[in-house]
Amino acid sequence: MKRTIQTIAMAALCLFFEAQAQQPTRPPLKNQAIIGKVISASTGEALPGAIIKITNTNQTVLSNNEGEFILSLSNGNYSLSVYYLSHKPKTVTLQVPLNHELIIALQNDDNELQEVEINAGYYTVKDKERTGSISRVTAETISKQPINNPLQALQGRMPGVIVSQQNGLAGGAFQVQIRGRNSIANGNDPLYIINGVPFISESLNSSAASVLQGKGSPLSSFNPSDIESIEVLKDADATAIYGSKGANGVILITTKAGTSGSTKANINVYSGVSTVTRKLSLLNTPQYLEMRKEAFANDQRIPTVQNARDLMVWDQTRYTNWEEELIGGTAYINNAQLTLSGGNENTSFLFSSGYCRSTTVFPGNFSDTKISGSLNLNHSAPNQKFKINITANYNTERNRLPLTDITSYTLFMPPNTPEIYTTDENFNWGPTNATFSNPYALLTGTYEVKTNNLIGNAILSYQVTPNLMLKTSLGYHTIQLEDIRANPQTAISPTSFMLPNANIGDRKQQSFIAEPTISYHTALFKGKLNMLLGATVQQRTDEGKTLIATYNDDTFLGIPSAASSITASSPISSRYKYLGIFGRINYNWQGKYLFNLTMRRDGSSRFGINSRFANFGAIGTAWVFSNEQFAKDLNWLSFGKLRASYGSTGNDQIPDYGYLDTWLPQYYPYQNVVGLSPARLANPNYSWEVNRKKEIALDLGFFNDRLMLSVAYYNSHSSSQLVGYPLAYTTGFSSIQANFPALVQNTSTEISINSINFQRKSFKWSTGLNITIPASKLLSYPDLAASSYTYFYKIGYSMSMQSYLHYTGVNKETGTYAFQDVNENGNDTDDPDDYLFLKDTRQKIYGGLNNTFTYKNLEMSFFVSFVKQQGRNYFYGNAFMPGTQSNQASFILNRWQPSNTDARYMKFSSANQAAAYSYYRNSDAAISDASYIRLQNVSLSYALSEKWVKKMKLSNCRLYVQGQNLLTLTNYLGRDPESQSIYALPPLKTITAGLQITF
């Protein structure tokens, strides 16, 4: 990578001087040949590709692989200017004829070495020269985390970006929001780009995927070890070049590339274990039986075999800790990666292959297996004018999970349930074959999903002149998913009339994209002007079907041809076409004043013919005031930049063909003839939702950039919301999809601090901190009361705000839950006017803190993420009232009793108080503090000394131990404050140990 960057940079500098670069071949001699060599002053190594320019002549040459060059000069005095990446330029006076050996030694330029190139999509920009808001995670950070989804690498590490893991299952979904929720009714997901190719990020799992709550993450199959960097574009200046797709931010994933030099092999293997990190304290058998008996006494009901088999039939001394039984196991993970790279100045390559297998904490033979392959090939012509870059990533995943997430059974199963197996080793369903649900029987059912994911891209470029470049990017992405939800006879209660059955889903999406661009750069008024013009042509197809098959037995379960009956759901078949033209003008005046103008015009097949095209654009400016003369005397200030941006982007995350009217078969035939009836009205006028973004930011560097501070304020307004517009019932439709003048506002203050706290020869300590303080509210929604959102949103409040009953406590006399009667009509529960108390479940503050310590060959880092928020707690998710035949968390023992009228929870009830408990779950009592501080990642590594590495004939050898999701500090009433579900397996704690060697 380093050698490739050097070659590209040298060619760029050569073009800057507008002189024809030539290879260091021996030219025809005019008088005599001058042979020289360029080396590094610090190491003495040759510097290949250095630019040597003769002042006042047309000669410009490049040094060869040995750093040597040849000049053809007549007698006289000359001045040579020598340039090389990451080194200070040098001017040498030369007198011909030369009577000594010409050796030019260049000093390292530490400031240049610190310059980081940021991927902004269609172009790259130095970090200190960017005008937009871009955050970055590198391969180094990713390599410290034992993760199976690239999105996990972003959690807590970027201001303005929040990533929430929905469950702890392999392939489970992640929710990603960049600077808040913009759309009321449509997608809020960011745009994913991998190596310049849009990645299909929506879940393709069929509706049968109940174990994943109907959602999966296609990025789960992508190998995190293949990633070089992940950049997140946030403000208008950074995202407007993506036009109609950039409203919710853009995530750019760049995979690793080959480097020139001798062929190297890198092997990285690790193994580890995963467990549930946080469990609930549940009632044991004596406590549970006490609850049940007290509930019947409170209700003045008599327990019978029909309503209380746990009291009348089951063993009163038996105890099973269902948390330990069902999710208390250990999941094992094994990961192996192989990378080969090498090449020369003109051609370099990288090939990698990976294997990862992880099991689950559930009992049974469940696992997720991934195999990946990646290829990167770079080639350039000898004159460096023509270049080609080819990348291809193929990932296949086979994920075998239980039929359903049995985590919920750990809570609902009474602790004195009967034995799992009968004496003849069959599954026990209770004395009457129907007295309890046997979770081990359910584990014989499976949900299996196979994913094949291929993404490839070819970039061809030609340097027409030193200032003009033509480039074309050709990309292809296909993802195919097959999932089977198999429900065998062993998982079905013997008293059920259900036969073995399977849901079989098949989904395939393909995407083609071509993006030709032309770029031009030149010097203008003591500054640098860069211009870019390009176009995008994209087509995506989506095909899929789901079969519901019934079988006579389990022998051929899941094979469609062996089914006794098959019902097919409506097939999926759609085509999406997209066309865009974009341009960018960037001007940099002496590194002080930066100006960036972006424009884009897009057309999408998802909108009607009257509103198919739209324009988007942005302006970004920056003032690097640390380069001004007045700042030169401020020794403590090493960098200062004030930047601002304004622009608009769009959102087209809506279904295909939504602007057309649709017809469906009539439910009731007329005279045995099935007719058609309209199901949706056409609207050829609705178009993109529009997001207008504003930002102002201050970036500062102190003490030679040992302390870096960035503070940004962001404000966006999302309008033209695509929602259902209410219609009169006389039209035959309740609403029509249309752009509605509702307005959503998102703001945030984002702070990033990076510091080198201590640095000596053997020891270094660095810290990174980011904090985001977001805010969101619905500014306007005409006729909100007449819409279907009247009970969900309130003008002037966040869209995460919802209305609830106001819980006032336990009635000391009756022992039941009480609520405020807002309109004082004597009814405190059923009246909609009583649902006026608002609770906001969005994140109020979030961020992360990272510390890295390096001592000689030893490195340790730990990362802590934190979130301040409210969330839906245990009672919101638990549908079973305390006192019914379901276990409970032990804290409900603080219930109302005649001797404890100040209790926190209602008296136990087996049935009579179901309504009061239901109201409690829909009151503000079900929303409580869900803030947490999490030890997200710890990494400890040791690199063997050079002496031992040479003895083993290696280039590098490193041992490491890593941990993920190790500890969570929270007051949340539930298992996990991040996923906030008692039905889903929480994110797991993972500890791994590994070895990395390079040959």
Side-chain angles (χ1 to χ4, degrees):
M1 174 64 76
K2 182 179 179 182
R3 185 72 55 87
T4 303
I5 295 175
Q6 290 174 349
T7 304
I8 295 173
M10 292 307 99
L13 282 174
C14 186
L15 295 172
F16 173 77
F17 291 111
E18 300 184 5
Q20 178 63 42
Q22 58 185 12
Q23 293 296 315
T25 55
R26 190 178 299 273
L29 299 183
K30 295 181 179 178
N31 288 300
Q32 60 178 297
I34 306 300
I35 301 176
K37 186 175 184 179
V38 183
I39 64 171
S40 169
S42 59
T43 64
E45 295 181 352
L47 299 180
I51 296 175
I52 302 94
K53 184 178 185 299
I54 312 300
T55 306
N56 298 327
T57 74
N58 291 325
Q59 284 198 62
T60 299
V61 298
L62 303 176
S63 61
N64 63 12
N65 288 339
E66 288 72 38
E68 297 175 345
F69 62 91
I70 300 174
L71 300 174
S72 176
L73 299 172
S74 58
N75 293 343
N77 295 326
Y78 299 91
S79 179
L80 277 63
S81 297
V82 186
Y83 305 89
Y84 191 77
L85 183 69
S86 303
H87 288 69
K88 296 180 179 179
K90 188 173 185 179
T91 301
V92 178
T93 302
L94 182 65
Q95 184 177 2
V96 180
L98 191 66
N99 57 6
H100 62 85
E101 185 179 7
L102 181 58
I103 303 294
I104 303 175
L106 301 184
Q107 299 288 338
N108 289 333
D109 188 346
D110 294 333
N111 291 330
E112 184 69 20
L113 286 170
Q114 293 176 1
E115 287 293 336
V116 178
E117 288 282 342
I118 298 293
N119 178 20
Y122 295 102
Y123 60 94
T124 60
V125 61
K126 288 183 179 180
D127 188 28
K128 290 187 175 182
E129 294 183 353
R130 60 181 172 85
T131 56
S133 180
I134 305 175
S135 295
R136 188 172 190 247
V137 166
T138 64
E140 180 182 6
T141 301
I142 297 173
S143 66
K144 295 178 181 179
Q145 305 179 67
I147 56 178
N148 57 21
N149 190 311
L151 294 177
Q152 288 178 273
L154 308 182
Q155 286 187 290
R157 295 184 181 272
M158 294 181 174
V161 180
I162 189 156
V163 180
S164 301
Q165 188 172 354
Q166 302 300 288
N167 56 61
L169 296 172
F174 283 76
Q175 184 183 63
V176 181
Q177 280 193 3
I178 299 175
R179 290 180 163 176
R181 178 183 172 187
N182 298 307
S183 179
I184 293 177
N186 294 289
N188 285 277
D189 295 330
L191 171 65
Y192 295 88
I193 305 287
I194 298 181
N195 294 327
V197 182
F199 185 82
I200 301 167
S201 60
E202 62 264 27
S203 172
L204 303 183
N205 298 75
S206 70
S207 59
S210 60
V211 66
L212 296 175
Q213 285 79 53
K215 296 181 180 180
S217 174
L219 275 168
S220 172
S221 64
F222 201 85
N223 186 358
S225 299
D226 288 337
I227 297 175
E228 178 65 28
S229 67
I230 302 177
E231 275 93 355
V232 177
L233 316 184
K234 296 180 285 187
D235 73 328
D237 178 67
T239 60
I241 200 165
Y242 287 97
S244 64
K245 299 181 179 182
N248 301 315
V250 183
I251 296 180
L252 304 174
I253 299 177
T254 305
T255 58
K256 296 176 180 177
T259 58
S260 59
S262 58
T263 301
K264 294 183 179 180
N266 183 281
I267 298 176
N268 187 8
V269 295
Y270 68 78
S271 295
V273 296
S274 298
T275 56
V276 173
T277 183
R278 191 168 183 266
K279 300 175 183 176
L280 290 172
S281 175
L282 302 175
L283 301 179
N284 57 31
T285 298
Q287 292 170 330
Y288 171 79
L289 295 177
E290 178 187 359
M291 175 191 71
R292 289 284 283 153
K293 293 174 181 177
E294 186 176 316
F296 276 97
N298 289 337
D299 293 345
Q300 297 182 359
R301 298 176 67 206
I302 299 175
T304 65
V305 173
Q306 286 73 29
N307 63 22
R309 52 184 178 270
D310 53 340
L311 297 178
M312 307 302 294
V313 179
W314 297 351
D315 187 348
Q316 305 293 289
T317 62
R318 177 173 170 77
Y319 172 68
T320 301
N321 185 330
W322 284 109
E323 278 197 308
E324 291 297 326
E325 191 76 21
L326 298 181
I327 63 172
T330 300
Y332 297 92
I333 181 172
N334 293 287
N335 188 296
Q337 307 290 327
L338 169 65
T339 302
L340 300 173
S341 64
N344 54 39
E345 290 184 352
N346 294 326
T347 304
S348 62
F349 73 93
L350 180 143
F351 170 77
S352 68
S353 180
Y355 170 84
C356 182
R357 184 178 187 272
S358 58
T359 62
T360 71
V361 296
F362 300 135
N365 184 25
F366 303 105
S367 65
D368 178 38
T369 303
K370 304 175 186 178
I371 299 175
S372 65
S374 176
L375 175 66
N376 175 269
L377 180 64
N378 292 282
H379 176 74
S380 60
N383 62 4
Q384 300 294 312
K385 286 192 173 184
F386 175 76
K387 297 179 182 180
I388 183 171
N389 172 268
I390 297 175
T391 59
N393 295 83
Y394 177 75
N395 302 272
T396 181
E397 178 180 17
R398 181 179 180 180
N399 194 3
R400 191 172 188 272
L401 295 168
L403 186 66
T404 185
D405 189 339
I406 59 173
T407 303
S408 59
Y409 284 81
T410 65
L411 178 63
F412 304 146
M413 294 286 287
N416 68 326
T417 50
E419 296 280 355
I420 296 300
Y421 299 99
T422 61
T423 55
D424 55 0
E425 297 185 354
N426 291 320
F427 287 117
N428 185 9
W429 297 93
T432 60
N433 277 338
T435 56
F436 81 105
S437 296
N438 193 324
Y440 276 81
L442 297 176
L443 287 171
T444 62
T446 60
Y447 173 71
E448 186 169 340
V449 55
K450 300 177 183 178
T451 306
N452 295 306
N453 194 337
L454 172 64
I455 185 167
N457 191 37
I459 300 176
L460 297 85
S461 64
Y462 184 75
Q463 195 78 45
V464 181
T465 69
N467 302 77
L468 181 65
M469 176 180 286
L470 302 178
K471 182 186 292 186
T472 296
S473 176
L474 303 172
Y476 173 73
H477 179 215
T478 180
I479 181 169
Q480 184 170 6
L481 181 143
E482 298 177 0
D483 56 354
I484 300 177
R485 185 176 186 265
N487 190 20
Q489 190 69 62
T490 51
I492 301 173
S493 172
T495 59
S496 173
F497 295 101
M498 184 183 298
L499 290 172
N501 57 83
N503 286 39
I504 305 169
D506 184 2
R507 190 85 175 269
K508 182 179 182 180
Q509 286 193 0
Q510 295 184 89
S511 177
F512 302 87
I513 186 170
E515 292 187 309
T517 60
I518 179 172
S519 59
Y520 179 80
H521 68 89
T522 187
L524 182 66
F525 303 120
K526 297 183 180 182
K528 294 182 293 184
L529 176 67
N530 291 275
M531 294 185 289
L532 174 71
L533 180 65
T536 299
V537 179
Q538 182 185 358
Q539 176 176 291
R540 190 177 81 180
T541 58
D542 187 1
E543 297 178 349
K545 62 180 182 298
T546 300
L547 303 177
I548 303 174
T550 303
Y551 299 82
N552 294 323
D553 54 45
D554 298 344
T555 306
F556 300 104
L557 189 63
I559 301 176
S561 59
S564 58
S565 65
I566 291 181
T567 302
S569 65
S570 299
I572 297 172
S573 180
S574 65
R575 177 174 296 178
Y576 166 62
K577 293 183 178 181
Y578 175 85
L579 176 66
I581 300 175
F582 57 89
R584 172 181 180 259
I585 298 175
N586 175 266
Y587 186 67
N588 182 335
W589 192 77
Q590 296 187 343
K592 299 179 182 179
Y593 307 104
L594 310 174
F595 174 83
N596 198 53
L597 174 64
T598 306
M599 299 151 288
R600 182 151 188 149
R601 180 170 175 81
D602 286 333
S604 171
S605 63
R606 289 176 174 168
F607 299 105
I609 58 175
N610 297 339
S611 304
R612 186 156 287 173
F613 291 87
N615 300 319
F616 307 94
I619 296 176
T621 60
W623 175 35
V624 186
F625 56 83
S626 56
N627 290 338
E628 298 285 1
Q629 188 59 42
F630 72 83
K632 300 295 184 182
D633 297 332
L634 303 177
N635 297 328
W636 48 271
L637 181 67
S638 52
F639 179 72
K641 180 174 68 175
L642 181 66
R643 56 183 173 87
S645 66
Y646 174 78
S648 66
T649 53
N651 183 11
D652 72 342
Q653 293 184 33
I654 59 174
D656 294 317
Y657 313 124
Y659 63 92
L660 296 173
D661 54 0
T662 56
W663 297 73
L664 292 176
Q666 289 179 326
Y667 186 77
Y668 298 104
Y670 178 71
Q671 295 183 352
N672 296 324
V673 176
V674 177
L676 296 176
S677 60
R680 182 179 61 199
L681 286 175
N683 183 357
N685 297 315
Y686 78 81
S687 185
W688 284 276
E689 296 179 348
V690 178
N691 191 347
R692 291 178 172 83
K693 307 177 182 181
K694 295 177 287 187
E695 179 177 14
I696 185 169
L698 178 65
D699 301 328
L700 298 173
F702 304 95
F703 315 115
N704 292 323
D705 292 351
R706 290 191 59 169
L707 175 63
M708 300 294 294
L709 170 66
S710 178
V711 180
Y713 174 77
Y714 167 82
N715 185 304
S716 74
H717 289 84
S718 300
S719 59
S720 298
Q721 295 283 334
L722 281 167
V723 297
Y725 185 84
L727 297 176
Y729 287 108
T730 55
T731 64
F733 297 88
S734 60
S735 65
I736 183 174
Q737 190 81 354
N739 291 97
F740 207 62
L743 191 62
V744 177
Q745 174 181 276
N746 282 286
T747 64
S748 67
T749 301
E750 301 168 4
I751 303 171
S752 295
I753 301 174
N754 292 282
S755 64
I756 300 175
N757 307 315
F758 190 87
Q759 186 172 17
R760 292 293 184 268
K761 183 177 180 180
S762 299
F763 179 74
K764 180 180 178 181
W765 170 27
S766 61
T767 298
L769 170 68
N770 75 86
I771 301 174
T772 301
I773 308 173
S776 173
K777 61 182 175 180
L778 179 63
L779 292 181
S780 65
Y781 193 123
D783 297 324
L784 176 61
S787 74
S788 58
Y789 298 103
T790 182
Y791 294 110
F792 296 96
Y793 304 131
K794 187 176 180 63
I795 294 175
Y797 294 88
S798 165
M799 288 195 298
S800 300
M801 190 90 69
Q802 292 192 19
S803 301
Y804 299 89
L805 291 170
H806 179 49
Y807 171 66
T808 58
V810 177
N811 188 303
K812 293 186 177 183
E813 297 181 0
T814 64
T816 59
Y817 292 130
F819 310 93
Q820 182 176 348
D821 183 7
V822 176
N823 56 10
E824 298 181 351
N825 64 351
N827 190 340
D828 61 358
T829 54
D830 288 332
D831 197 326
D833 291 338
D834 291 329
Y835 287 79
L836 296 179
F837 290 86
L838 304 174
K839 287 287 186 177
D840 191 356
T841 56
R842 65 178 174 84
Q843 295 81 10
K844 305 292 181 62
I845 301 175
Y846 60 87
L849 173 67
N850 184 73
N851 279 278
T852 301
F853 303 89
T854 303
Y855 178 71
K856 294 184 178 179
N857 296 344
L858 185 67
E859 180 182 276
M860 186 193 77
S861 67
F862 66 88
F863 177 72
V864 176
S865 63
F866 52 87
V867 176
K868 178 178 175 56
Q869 63 182 355
Q870 289 185 314
R872 295 175 173 85
N873 59 36
Y874 164 91
F875 288 101
Y876 182 89
N878 189 358
F880 295 93
M881 178 175 57
T884 57
Q885 188 176 296
S886 170
N887 206 354
Q888 299 285 335
S890 59
F891 53 70
I892 59 93
L893 292 175
N894 183 15
R895 78 284 190 188
W896 183 93
Q897 292 177 305
S899 59
N900 184 26
T901 57
D902 293 326
R904 183 173 181 179
Y905 302 111
M906 182 184 73
K907 64 182 180 182
F908 293 148
S909 173
S910 63
N912 291 358
Q913 302 301 326
Y917 180 68
S918 177
Y919 292 132
Y920 181 77
R921 293 176 61 234
N922 288 284
S923 72
D924 55 5
I927 306 298
S928 60
D929 182 37
S931 305
Y932 63 91
I933 299 175
R934 174 167 289 169
L935 183 57
Q936 190 82 29
N937 175 251
V938 173
S939 175
L940 178 65
S941 66
Y942 178 76
L944 270 63
S945 65
E946 185 177 350
K947 174 183 176 182
W948 285 101
V949 169
K950 287 184 177 180
K951 281 186 177 182
M952 294 185 291
K953 298 181 179 180
L954 301 174
S955 298
N956 180 51
C957 182
R958 185 174 70 98
L959 304 171
Y960 60 88
V961 177
Q962 298 173 345
Q964 194 79 3
N965 189 27
L966 296 177
L967 177 67
T968 302
L969 302 178
T970 182
N971 293 322
Y972 177 67
L973 295 178
R975 284 196 178 94
D976 180 61
E978 180 182 356
S979 58
Q980 296 182 16
S981 173
I982 62 173
Y983 295 97
L985 183 71
L988 302 179
K989 172 177 65 177
T990 301
I991 300 175
T992 63
L995 169 67
Q996 181 181 15
I997 56 177
T998 303
F999 296 92

